[in-house]
Amino acid sequence: MSLKWRGWVFAGIALTMYVVGGVMIMGGLIMIGIMGGQDLWGWGEARGIGYMAFALGIVLSVMGVLVMRIMRNRGW
């Protein structure tokens, strides 16, 4: 894989992680704040799943930003 294509692949992965992380953060906040103690399709309480989605969203967003910064610093 050439260096040019590697950069595009990493850019796509970074942007996808960043966007998915943002959606998970917002979804987690909605589940925590609005849905509260409702049962979600037998998976558990919405508040607990919301906290998990919120935390995972933060991790994904930070990882996406870090990958973008690494790409920029290496000139990809």
Side-chain angles (χ1 to χ4, degrees):
M1 183 185 301
S2 69
L3 191 60
K4 177 183 175 185
W5 289 107
R6 185 185 314 168
W8 281 105
V9 169
F10 280 136
I13 290 170
L15 189 61
T16 302
M17 286 189 334
Y18 184 67
V19 170
V20 168
V23 169
M24 288 186 74
I25 289 172
M26 293 307 296
L29 288 175
I30 289 170
M31 282 190 266
I32 293 167
I34 295 174
M35 298 180 76
Q38 293 180 5
D39 185 49
L40 289 180
W41 311 291
W43 291 356
E45 189 177 287
R47 185 170 294 143
I49 296 172
Y51 283 126
M52 184 182 64
F54 182 74
L56 187 58
I58 289 174
V59 169
L60 281 175
S61 290
V62 169
M63 283 178 54
V65 169
L66 287 176
V67 171
M68 286 187 243
R69 294 299 302 170
I70 289 169
M71 288 177 52
R72 180 181 171 140
N73 288 339
R74 298 192 193 254
W76 290 350

